């Protein structure tokens, strides 16, 4: 039987020299840097918000409800007028709302672990902590959005920061730095606890005393002596004092220093515990 040209298929067989050139170590793409890998994982966290925009409820609707509720329910009783109370209260509720949503870092991490996503990340040839750091980078966007939402509502209601735009930017900067550092607490819990509900439950047990037993809502001088002792060493108190001072145009160096020290401590202690647990999983 005759064979036509169309019945013949040409198979290309590369020479050993060609295979060696393709498979040579020098032909591999360079390993991404720690910064590049972390930013990539941070972009992944932001894409999750894009595909599930309902996640932004806690950084938009929740802060607005908190600001309106406390201002108009308690403002007149605590400060004589809602306007006077708003000047005192708004930096504090900004801290409360943003610090509260830091727990979602641990919840999200625990969810990824349960789904097996992090098992895949651990096999990638990238800097090992980049998946964790990138997740927190993505959450920084949530912190900034929550702070801007509360500030916008406050300005509409009559809040006027004497420190001007510079003081406001400095205040939000301190809040974001502290929240980034505090998120490492929840990454540790996200690795240790078995379910996202457990992470959320433990987070609430920690966050409610820290935020409510502070100077967010009232001055500590009105509290019993034993409670004042706790409030004065509470890191949330130092953060609120620092933000109030810079927004008022009279920076409190001691409060700012304590805020930065607390932030560094959270990163060093809980960052180490997180990576120790992460490497042993």
């Amino acid at each position: 039987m005759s064979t036509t040209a169309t019945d013949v298929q040409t198979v290309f067989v590369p020479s050993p020299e060609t295979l060696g050139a393709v498979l040579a170590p020098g032909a591999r793409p360079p390993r991404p840097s720690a910064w590049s890998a972390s930013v990539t994982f941070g972009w992944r966290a932001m894409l999750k918000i894009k595909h599930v925009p309902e996640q932004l409820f806690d950084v938009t609707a929740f802060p607005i409800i908190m600001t309106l509720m406390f201002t108009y329910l308690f403002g007149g009783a605590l400060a004589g007028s809602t306007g006077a109370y708003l000047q005192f209260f708004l930096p504090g509720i900004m801290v409360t709302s943003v610090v509260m949503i830091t727990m979602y870092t641990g919840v999200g991490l625990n969810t990824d672990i349960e789904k097996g996503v992090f098992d895949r990340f651990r096999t990638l040839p990238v800097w090992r902590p980049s998946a964790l750091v990138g997740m927190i980078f993505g959450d920084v966007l949530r912190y900034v959005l929550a702070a801007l939402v509360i500030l916008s509502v406050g300005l509409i209601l009559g809040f006027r920061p004497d420190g001007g735009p510079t003081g406001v930017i400095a205040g939000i900067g301190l809040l974001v730095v502290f929240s980034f550092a505090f998120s490492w607490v929840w990454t540790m819990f996200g690795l240790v606890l078995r379910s996202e509900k457990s992470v959320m439950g433990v987070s609430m047990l920690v966050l409610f005393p820290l935020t409510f037993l502070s100077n967010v809502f009232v001055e500590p001088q009105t509290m019993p002596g034993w409670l004042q002792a706790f409030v004065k060493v509470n890191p949330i108190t130092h953060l609120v004092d620092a933000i109030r001072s810079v927004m008022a145009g009279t920076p409190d160096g001691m409060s700012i220093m304590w805020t930065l020290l607390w932030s560094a401590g959270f990163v060093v202690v809980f960052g180490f515990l997180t990576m120790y647990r992460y490497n042993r999983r």
Side-chain angles (χ1 to χ4, degrees):
M1 184 174 65
S2 62
T3 302
T4 63
T6 56
D7 296 325
V8 179
Q9 295 182 351
T10 302
V11 178
F12 174 73
V13 179
S15 64
E17 292 78 8
T18 304
L19 283 173
V22 173
L23 300 178
R28 296 178 181 177
R31 182 173 178 173
S33 65
W35 172 255
S36 175
S38 299
V39 170
T40 299
F41 282 112
W43 180 247
R44 169 184 176 264
M46 288 189 286
L47 287 177
K48 290 169 66 176
I49 297 176
K50 173 186 175 183
H51 294 297
V52 188
E54 295 82 14
Q55 296 182 48
L56 292 180
F57 176 82
D58 58 330
V59 301
T60 53
F62 176 72
I64 293 174
I65 293 171
M66 291 281 287
T67 304
L68 295 175
M69 182 176 65
F70 279 94
T71 298
Y72 288 105
L73 281 180
F74 306 113
L78 295 176
S81 68
T82 57
Y85 187 63
L86 186 65
Q87 291 297 122
F88 169 84
F89 170 68
L90 190 119
I93 196 60
M94 183 184 294
V95 169
T96 299
S97 298
V98 175
V99 170
M100 280 283 187
I101 64 177
T102 59
M103 68 177 179
Y104 290 107
T105 300
V107 173
L109 172 60
N110 188 272
T111 301
D112 280 346
I113 292 173
E114 291 300 314
K115 292 181 177 179
V117 176
F118 260 71
D119 289 337
R120 172 56 180 152
F121 290 163
R122 286 161 58 90
T123 66
L124 298 176
V126 296
W127 183 51
R128 290 186 67 85
S130 60
L132 300 174
V133 176
M135 178 176 288
I136 299 177
F137 277 172
D139 286 338
V140 166
L141 174 64
R142 299 160 67 92
Y143 307 152
V144 174
L145 285 176
L148 292 177
V149 167
I150 295 174
L151 178 64
S152 300
V153 173
L155 292 174
I156 293 172
L157 297 180
F159 176 69
R160 296 296 180 266
D162 293 334
T166 303
V168 170
I169 294 172
I172 293 177
L174 285 171
L175 178 56
V176 170
V177 168
F178 180 90
S179 299
F180 173 85
F182 200 56
S183 296
W184 285 100
V185 177
W186 312 126
T187 59
M188 190 269 292
F189 280 116
L191 289 168
V192 171
L193 300 177
R194 297 183 180 181
S195 68
E196 59 181 272
K197 291 182 179 179
S198 301
V199 177
M200 189 170 293
V202 172
S203 301
M204 287 298 181
L205 288 176
V206 175
L207 287 170
F208 267 93
L210 280 179
T211 53
F212 282 86
L213 301 182
S214 67
N215 62 344
V216 169
F217 303 99
V218 295
E219 291 286 2
Q221 290 79 2
T222 62
M223 303 175 186
W226 60 269
L227 185 54
Q228 289 186 38
F230 174 80
V231 171
K232 288 180 181 178
V233 298
N234 187 343
I236 300 299
T237 298
H238 296 143
L239 176 61
V240 173
D241 280 340
I243 293 177
R244 279 183 180 144
S245 68
V246 295
M247 285 190 173
T250 55
D252 183 347
M254 186 63 66
S255 297
I256 294 173
M257 181 194 72
W258 275 112
T259 297
L260 297 177
L261 287 176
W262 276 111
S263 300
F266 285 134
V267 172
V268 171
V269 174
F270 289 98
F272 170 79
L273 292 176
T274 296
M275 292 312 305
Y276 175 79
R277 182 68 181 180
Y278 179 64
N279 289 326
R280 290 177 61 89
R281 285 189 65 89

